[in-house]
Amino acid sequence: MPSRQIHWDSDSPDWSPPPEKDQLFSPSPSRNNVNRGRRRSARALVGLDTERPMKNHFPGAEKLLWSRIRTTLQEPFAEFLGVMVLTCFYVGSIAQATLSTGQEASPGGAGYGTFMSVPWGTGIGVMLGIYISGDSGSYLNPAITISNCIFRGLPWRAAPAILLSQFLGAFVGSGIIYGNYISAIDWYSGYGMRTLPPMQKSTAQIFATYPQTFAPRSTQVFSVAIPSALITTVISALKDDYNNGISKAGGNFFPLAMFFLFYGVGIAFGWETGGAVNPALDFAGRLMSHANGYGGEVWKSSGYYFWIPMIIPFIGTIFGAFLYDLFIFTGPSPLNTPWLGLKRLGRRDIMARNKQERRDQRNDESTTEV
């Protein structure tokens, strides 16, 4: 039988001739059209880009229901798994450092971790999460996602699905760590005891951030806003193809650069508020700890502190992206329009043109600016 290339991507415009005997189950043209229409409808329903090409399947896999679901929802699934892995490393490093304190059997006789374990766990978790979630853009943080909607043309309609996936990934990751360390928590604090800072032997800080008792509200806000702004400023630079100081969109070293960025945030801003820069991790961990015996105090503690890591990271990341675009970025951005973007607020034609420019840039193969 003569060989020929068969495109198993159900979104492909190509279609092979009528099947041979051993290809009786190959998709028909009408079936391809139906699958393509259903996929686009499903992606439109959750706000995802309907024109994004479908990833190629292993031959015949496009007939499987889960394969079609997976390729239809590849961005939310990628964010979910990436954030789950990030959470496991981040929360796991805190758990081991906290619960093993004073273990004389450990190397050095002081436990199986210190404060410096947490920046390492955070950086490694971010780096590996980026590797996993490349199909989605590797946002891994609701605040970074929203800043990309404002400044880099990520469609607003895609934000709900991505944000929900991030919160679910963080919740599952926190649950995995709790399940793994539940016996250690009972051993450390006492069987069934679930306590919050600043009490001795507290463990709630494993799953969510809590401020130091000396930190006033203003310090709490700045301790969250500053690192959040630094993160988006650096990410904007690494993803800027118009910046001659770096390789194309960060190149293959982007995940490693993110490791150093979050390691630096941990060692510079990890004390006063615990480095609370990711609303998904903080809210999901607080919700999970509430459901597992820590009670409503996780929301009331420190004068209802919980709203700070829920709201301030959004303000910080938006401000950081604003600073970079104001002083450095020369590509499509709201700030590179008349009156620093204010004029476009009252002109639908300008808003539509700017949106199209940023969409074209995102789809341009010569640039990977996101």
Coordinates of all heavy atoms in Angstrom, one line a residue, residues 181-252:
Y181 N 1.2 15.1 55.6 CA 1.8 15.5 56.9 C 0.8 15.5 58.1 O 1.2 16.0 59.1 CB 2.4 16.9 56.8 CG 3.7 17.0 56.0 CD1 3.8 17.3 54.7 CD2 4.9 16.6 56.7 CE1 5.0 17.4 54.0 CE2 6.1 16.7 56.0 CZ 6.1 17.0 54.7 OH 7.3 17.0 54.0
I182 N -0.3 14.9 57.9 CA -1.3 15.0 59.0 C -0.8 14.3 60.3 O -1.0 14.8 61.4 CB -2.7 14.3 58.5 CG1 -3.7 14.5 59.6 CG2 -2.5 12.9 58.2 CD1 -5.1 14.1 59.2
S183 N -0.1 13.2 60.1 CA 0.5 12.5 61.3 C 1.6 13.4 61.9 O 1.7 13.4 63.2 CB 1.1 11.1 60.9 OG 0.0 10.3 60.4
A184 N 2.4 14.0 61.1 CA 3.4 14.9 61.7 C 2.8 16.1 62.4 O 3.3 16.6 63.4 CB 4.3 15.4 60.5
I185 N 1.7 16.6 61.9 CA 1.0 17.8 62.5 C 0.5 17.3 63.9 O 0.6 18.0 64.9 CB -0.1 18.3 61.7 CG1 0.4 18.9 60.4 CG2 -1.0 19.3 62.4 CD1 -0.6 19.3 59.4
D186 N -0.1 16.1 64.0 CA -0.6 15.6 65.3 C 0.6 15.4 66.2 O 0.5 15.7 67.4 CB -1.3 14.3 65.0 CG -2.7 14.5 64.4 OD1 -3.2 15.6 64.6 OD2 -3.2 13.5 63.8
W187 N 1.7 14.9 65.7 CA 2.9 14.7 66.6 C 3.4 16.0 67.1 O 3.8 16.1 68.2 CB 3.9 13.9 65.8 CG 5.2 13.8 66.5 CD1 5.6 12.9 67.5 CD2 6.4 14.7 66.3 NE1 6.9 13.2 67.9 CE2 7.4 14.2 67.2 CE3 6.6 15.7 65.5 CZ2 8.7 14.8 67.2 CZ3 7.9 16.3 65.5 CH2 8.9 15.9 66.4
Y188 N 3.5 17.0 66.2 CA 4.1 18.3 66.5 C 3.2 19.1 67.5 O 3.7 19.7 68.5 CB 4.3 19.1 65.2 CG 5.0 20.4 65.4 CD1 6.3 20.5 65.6 CD2 4.2 21.6 65.3 CE1 6.9 21.8 65.7 CE2 4.8 22.8 65.4 CZ 6.2 22.9 65.6 OH 6.7 24.2 65.8
S189 N 1.9 19.2 67.2 CA 1.1 20.1 68.0 C 0.3 19.4 69.0 O -0.3 20.0 69.9 CB 0.1 20.9 67.0 OG 0.8 21.7 66.2
G190 N 0.2 18.1 68.9 CA -0.7 17.3 69.8 C -1.9 16.8 69.0 O -2.4 17.4 68.1
Y191 N -2.3 15.5 69.3 CA -3.3 14.9 68.5 C -4.6 15.7 68.4 O -5.2 16.1 69.4 CB -3.6 13.5 69.1 CG -4.6 12.7 68.2 CD1 -4.2 12.1 67.1 CD2 -6.0 12.7 68.6 CE1 -5.1 11.4 66.3 CE2 -6.9 12.0 67.8 CZ -6.4 11.3 66.7 OH -7.3 10.7 65.9
G192 N -5.0 16.0 67.2 CA -6.2 16.8 66.9 C -6.1 18.3 67.2 O -7.1 19.0 67.0
M193 N -4.9 18.8 67.6 CA -4.7 20.2 67.8 C -4.4 20.9 66.5 O -3.5 20.5 65.8 CB -3.6 20.4 68.8 CG -3.9 19.8 70.2 SD -5.3 20.7 71.0 CE -4.5 22.3 71.3
R194 N -5.2 21.9 66.2 CA -4.9 22.7 65.0 C -4.9 24.2 65.5 O -5.9 24.8 65.8 CB -6.0 22.5 64.0 CG -6.1 21.1 63.5 CD -4.9 20.6 62.7 NE -5.0 19.3 62.2 CZ -4.5 18.2 62.8 NH1 -3.9 18.4 64.0 NH2 -4.6 17.0 62.3
T195 N -3.7 24.8 65.5 CA -3.5 26.1 66.1 C -2.9 27.1 65.1 O -2.3 26.7 64.1 CB -2.5 26.0 67.3 OG1 -1.3 25.4 66.9 CG2 -3.2 25.2 68.4
L196 N -3.2 28.4 65.3 CA -2.7 29.5 64.4 C -1.6 30.3 65.1 O -1.6 30.4 66.3 CB -3.9 30.4 64.1 CG -4.9 29.9 63.1 CD1 -5.8 28.8 63.6 CD2 -5.9 31.1 62.7
P197 N -0.8 30.9 64.3 CA 0.2 31.9 64.9 C -0.6 33.0 65.6 O -1.7 33.3 65.2 CB 0.9 32.4 63.6 CG 0.6 31.4 62.6 CD -0.7 30.8 62.9
P198 N 0.0 33.6 66.6 CA 1.4 33.4 67.1 C 1.5 32.4 68.2 O 2.5 32.4 69.0 CB 1.7 34.8 67.7 CG 0.4 35.3 68.2 CD -0.7 34.7 67.3
M199 N 0.6 31.4 68.4 CA 0.7 30.4 69.4 C 1.8 29.5 69.1 O 2.3 29.3 68.0 CB -0.6 29.6 69.4 CG -1.9 30.3 69.8 SD -3.4 29.3 69.9 CE -2.9 28.1 71.1
Q200 N 2.4 29.0 70.2 CA 3.5 28.0 70.0 C 3.0 26.7 69.4 O 1.8 26.4 69.6 CB 4.1 27.7 71.4 CG 4.9 28.9 72.0 CD 5.6 28.5 73.3 OE1 5.4 27.4 73.8 NE2 6.6 29.3 73.7
K201 N 3.8 26.1 68.7 CA 3.5 24.9 68.0 C 2.3 25.1 67.0 O 1.6 24.1 66.7 CB 3.1 23.8 69.0 CG 4.2 23.4 70.0 CD 5.3 22.6 69.3 CE 6.4 22.1 70.3 NZ 7.4 21.2 69.6
S202 N 2.2 26.3 66.4 CA 1.1 26.5 65.5 C 1.5 25.9 64.1 O 2.7 25.8 63.8 CB 0.9 28.0 65.3 OG 2.1 28.7 64.8
T203 N 0.5 25.5 63.3 CA 0.8 24.9 62.0 C 0.0 25.5 60.9 O 0.1 25.1 59.8 CB 0.5 23.4 62.1 OG1 -0.8 23.2 62.6 CG2 1.5 22.7 63.0
A204 N -0.9 26.4 61.2 CA -1.8 27.0 60.2 C -0.9 27.8 59.1 O -1.3 27.9 58.0 CB -2.8 27.9 60.8
Q205 N 0.2 28.3 59.5 CA 1.1 29.0 58.6 C 1.7 28.1 57.5 O 2.3 28.6 56.6 CB 2.2 29.8 59.4 CG 3.3 28.9 59.9 CD 2.9 28.3 61.3 OE1 1.8 28.3 61.7 NE2 4.0 27.8 62.0
I206 N 1.5 26.8 57.7 CA 2.0 25.9 56.6 C 1.2 26.1 55.3 O 1.7 26.1 54.2 CB 1.9 24.5 57.1 CG1 2.9 24.2 58.2 CG2 2.2 23.5 55.9 CD1 2.8 22.8 58.8
F207 N -0.1 26.4 55.5 CA -1.0 26.4 54.4 C -1.4 27.8 53.9 O -1.9 28.0 52.8 CB -2.3 25.6 54.8 CG -2.0 24.2 55.2 CD1 -2.0 23.9 56.6 CD2 -1.6 23.2 54.4 CE1 -1.7 22.7 57.1 CE2 -1.3 22.0 54.8 CZ -1.3 21.7 56.1
A208 N -1.3 28.8 54.7 CA -1.6 30.2 54.3 C -0.7 31.2 55.1 O -0.1 30.8 56.1 CB -3.1 30.5 54.6
T209 N -0.6 32.4 54.6 CA 0.3 33.3 55.2 C -0.4 34.1 56.4 O -1.6 34.3 56.4 CB 0.8 34.4 54.2 OG1 -0.4 35.1 53.7 CG2 1.5 33.7 53.1
Y210 N 0.4 34.4 57.4 CA -0.1 35.2 58.6 C 1.0 36.2 58.9 O 2.2 35.9 58.9 CB -0.3 34.2 59.8 CG -1.4 33.3 59.6 CD1 -1.2 32.1 58.9 CD2 -2.7 33.6 60.0 CE1 -2.3 31.2 58.7 CE2 -3.8 32.7 59.7 CZ -3.6 31.5 59.1 OH -4.6 30.7 58.9
P211 N 0.6 37.4 59.2 CA 1.6 38.5 59.4 C 2.3 38.3 60.8 O 1.8 37.7 61.7 CB 0.8 39.7 59.3 CG -0.5 39.3 59.9 CD -0.7 37.9 59.4
Q212 N 3.5 39.0 60.9 CA 4.1 39.1 62.2 C 3.3 40.0 63.1 O 2.7 40.9 62.6 CB 5.5 39.6 62.1 CG 6.5 38.7 61.3 CD 6.8 37.4 62.0 OE1 6.8 37.3 63.2 NE2 6.9 36.3 61.2
T213 N 3.3 39.7 64.4 CA 2.5 40.5 65.3 C 2.9 42.0 65.4 O 2.0 42.8 65.7 CB 2.6 39.9 66.7 OG1 3.9 39.8 67.1 CG2 2.0 38.5 66.7
F214 N 4.1 42.3 65.1 CA 4.5 43.7 65.2 C 4.2 44.5 64.0 O 4.2 45.8 64.0 CB 6.1 43.8 65.4 CG 6.8 43.3 64.2 CD1 7.0 44.0 63.1 CD2 7.3 42.0 64.2 CE1 7.7 43.6 62.0 CE2 8.0 41.5 63.1 CZ 8.2 42.3 62.0
A215 N 3.7 43.8 62.9 CA 3.5 44.5 61.6 C 2.2 45.2 61.6 O 1.1 44.6 61.6 CB 3.6 43.5 60.4
P216 N 2.1 46.6 61.5 CA 0.8 47.3 61.3 C 0.3 47.0 59.9 O 0.9 46.4 59.1 CB 1.2 48.7 61.5 CG 2.6 48.8 61.1 CD 3.3 47.5 61.4
R217 N -1.0 47.5 59.7 CA -1.7 47.2 58.5 C -0.9 47.8 57.3 O -0.8 47.1 56.2 CB -3.1 47.8 58.6 CG -3.9 47.4 57.4 CD -4.3 46.0 57.4 NE -5.3 45.7 58.4 CZ -5.7 44.5 58.8 NH1 -5.0 43.4 58.4 NH2 -6.6 44.3 59.7
S218 N -0.3 49.0 57.5 CA 0.4 49.6 56.3 C 1.6 48.7 55.9 O 1.9 48.5 54.7 CB 0.9 51.0 56.7 OG 1.7 51.0 57.9
T219 N 2.3 48.2 56.9 CA 3.5 47.3 56.6 C 3.0 46.1 55.9 O 3.7 45.6 55.0 CB 4.2 47.0 57.9 OG1 4.7 48.2 58.5 CG2 5.4 46.0 57.7
Q220 N 1.9 45.5 56.4 CA 1.4 44.3 55.7 C 1.1 44.6 54.2 O 1.4 43.7 53.4 CB 0.1 43.8 56.4 CG 0.3 43.4 57.9 CD -1.0 43.2 58.6 OE1 -2.0 43.1 58.0 NE2 -0.9 43.0 59.9
V221 N 0.5 45.7 54.0 CA 0.1 46.0 52.6 C 1.4 46.2 51.7 O 1.5 45.6 50.6 CB -0.7 47.3 52.5 CG1 -0.9 47.8 51.1 CG2 -2.1 47.1 53.2
F222 N 2.3 47.0 52.2 CA 3.5 47.2 51.4 C 4.4 45.9 51.3 O 5.0 45.7 50.2 CB 4.4 48.3 52.1 CG 3.9 49.7 51.7 CD1 3.3 50.4 52.7 CD2 4.0 50.2 50.5 CE1 2.8 51.7 52.4 CE2 3.6 51.5 50.2 CZ 2.9 52.2 51.1
S223 N 4.4 45.1 52.3 CA 5.1 43.8 52.2 C 4.6 42.9 51.2 O 5.3 42.0 50.7 CB 5.1 43.2 53.6 OG 6.0 42.0 53.6
V224 N 3.3 43.0 50.8 CA 2.7 42.2 49.7 C 2.8 42.9 48.4 O 3.1 42.3 47.4 CB 1.3 41.9 50.1 CG1 0.6 41.2 48.9 CG2 1.2 41.0 51.3
A225 N 2.6 44.2 48.4 CA 2.5 45.0 47.1 C 3.9 45.1 46.5 O 4.0 45.0 45.2 CB 2.0 46.4 47.4
I226 N 4.9 45.3 47.3 CA 6.3 45.5 46.7 C 6.8 44.3 45.9 O 7.2 44.4 44.7 CB 7.3 46.0 47.7 CG1 6.9 47.4 48.3 CG2 8.7 46.0 47.2 CD1 7.7 47.8 49.5
P227 N 6.8 43.1 46.5 CA 7.3 42.0 45.8 C 6.4 41.6 44.6 O 6.9 41.1 43.6 CB 7.3 40.8 46.8 CG 6.4 41.3 47.9 CD 6.5 42.8 47.9
S228 N 5.1 41.9 44.7 CA 4.2 41.6 43.6 C 4.5 42.5 42.4 O 4.5 42.0 41.3 CB 2.7 41.8 44.0 OG 2.3 41.0 45.1
A229 N 4.8 43.7 42.7 CA 5.2 44.7 41.6 C 6.5 44.3 41.0 O 6.7 44.3 39.8 CB 5.2 46.1 42.2
L230 N 7.5 43.9 41.8 CA 8.8 43.4 41.3 C 8.6 42.2 40.4 O 9.3 42.1 39.4 CB 9.7 43.1 42.5 CG 10.2 44.3 43.3 CD1 11.0 43.8 44.5 CD2 11.0 45.3 42.5
I231 N 7.8 41.3 40.8 CA 7.6 40.1 40.0 C 7.1 40.4 38.5 O 7.7 40.0 37.6 CB 6.6 39.2 40.7 CG1 7.3 38.5 41.9 CG2 6.1 38.1 39.7 CD1 6.3 37.8 42.8
T232 N 6.1 41.2 38.4 CA 5.6 41.5 37.1 C 6.5 42.5 36.3 O 6.6 42.4 35.1 CB 4.2 42.2 37.1 OG1 4.2 43.2 38.1 CG2 3.1 41.1 37.4
T233 N 7.3 43.3 37.0 CA 8.3 44.1 36.3 C 9.3 43.2 35.6 O 9.7 43.4 34.5 CB 8.9 45.1 37.3 OG1 8.0 46.0 37.8 CG2 10.0 45.9 36.6
V234 N 9.8 42.3 36.4 CA 10.9 41.4 35.9 C 10.3 40.4 34.8 O 10.9 40.2 33.7 CB 11.5 40.5 37.0 CG1 12.5 39.5 36.5 CG2 12.2 41.4 38.0
I235 N 9.1 39.9 35.0 CA 8.5 39.0 34.0 C 8.3 39.8 32.7 O 8.5 39.3 31.6 CB 7.2 38.4 34.5 CG1 7.5 37.4 35.6 CG2 6.4 37.8 33.4 CD1 6.2 36.9 36.3
S236 N 7.8 41.0 32.8 CA 7.6 41.9 31.6 C 8.9 42.1 30.8 O 8.9 42.0 29.6 CB 7.0 43.2 32.0 OG 5.8 43.1 32.6
A237 N 10.0 42.2 31.6 CA 11.3 42.4 30.9 C 11.8 41.1 30.2 O 12.2 41.1 29.1 CB 12.4 42.8 31.9
L238 N 11.6 40.0 30.9 CA 12.0 38.7 30.4 C 11.2 38.3 29.2 O 11.7 37.5 28.3 CB 11.9 37.6 31.4 CG 12.9 37.7 32.6 CD1 12.6 36.7 33.7 CD2 14.4 37.5 32.1
K239 N 9.9 38.7 29.1 CA 9.1 38.4 28.0 C 9.0 39.5 26.9 O 8.2 39.4 26.0 CB 7.6 38.2 28.5 CG 7.4 36.9 29.3 CD 7.5 35.7 28.3 CE 7.0 34.4 29.0 NZ 7.0 33.3 28.1
D240 N 9.9 40.4 27.0 CA 9.9 41.6 26.0 C 10.8 41.3 24.9 O 12.1 41.5 25.1 CB 10.2 42.9 26.8 CG 10.1 44.1 25.9 OD1 9.7 44.0 24.7 OD2 10.5 45.2 26.4
D241 N 10.3 41.0 23.7 CA 11.2 40.8 22.5 C 11.8 42.2 22.0 O 12.7 42.2 21.2 CB 10.4 40.2 21.4 CG 10.3 38.7 21.6 OD1 11.1 38.1 22.4 OD2 9.4 38.1 21.0
Y242 N 11.2 43.3 22.5 CA 11.7 44.6 22.1 C 12.9 45.1 23.0 O 13.5 46.1 22.7 CB 10.6 45.6 22.1 CG 9.4 45.2 21.2 CD1 8.4 44.5 21.7 CD2 9.4 45.6 19.9 CE1 7.3 44.2 20.9 CE2 8.3 45.3 19.1 CZ 7.3 44.5 19.6 OH 6.2 44.2 18.8
N243 N 13.1 44.3 24.0 CA 14.2 44.7 25.0 C 15.5 44.0 24.5 O 15.6 42.8 24.5 CB 13.9 44.2 26.4 CG 14.8 44.8 27.4 OD1 16.0 44.9 27.1 ND2 14.3 45.0 28.6
N244 N 16.5 44.8 24.1 CA 17.7 44.2 23.5 C 18.6 43.5 24.5 O 19.6 42.9 24.2 CB 18.5 45.3 22.8 CG 17.8 45.8 21.5 OD1 17.1 45.0 20.9 ND2 17.9 47.1 21.3
G245 N 18.3 43.7 25.8 CA 19.1 43.1 26.8 C 18.9 41.7 27.1 O 19.7 41.1 27.9
I246 N 17.9 41.0 26.5 CA 17.6 39.6 26.8 C 17.4 38.9 25.5 O 17.2 39.5 24.4 CB 16.4 39.5 27.7 CG1 15.2 40.1 27.0 CG2 16.6 40.1 29.0 CD1 13.9 39.8 27.7
S247 N 17.3 37.5 25.6 CA 17.0 36.7 24.4 C 15.6 36.7 24.2 O 14.7 37.3 24.9 CB 17.5 35.3 24.7 OG 16.9 34.7 25.8
K248 N 15.2 36.1 23.1 CA 13.8 36.1 22.7 C 12.9 35.5 23.7 O 12.9 34.3 24.0 CB 13.7 35.3 21.4 CG 12.3 35.3 20.7 CD 12.3 34.5 19.4 CE 10.9 34.5 18.8 NZ 10.9 33.7 17.5
A249 N 12.0 36.4 24.3 CA 11.0 36.0 25.3 C 11.6 35.2 26.4 O 10.9 34.4 27.0 CB 9.9 35.2 24.6
G250 N 12.8 35.5 26.8 CA 13.5 34.8 27.9 C 14.1 33.5 27.5 O 15.0 33.0 28.2
G251 N 13.8 33.0 26.3 CA 14.4 31.8 25.8 C 14.2 30.6 26.7 O 13.3 30.6 27.5
N252 N 15.1 29.6 26.6 CA 15.0 28.4 27.4 C 15.4 28.7 28.8 O 15.1 27.8 29.7 CB 15.9 27.3 26.8 CG 15.5 26.9 25.4 OD1 14.3 26.9 25.1 ND2 16.4 26.5 24.6

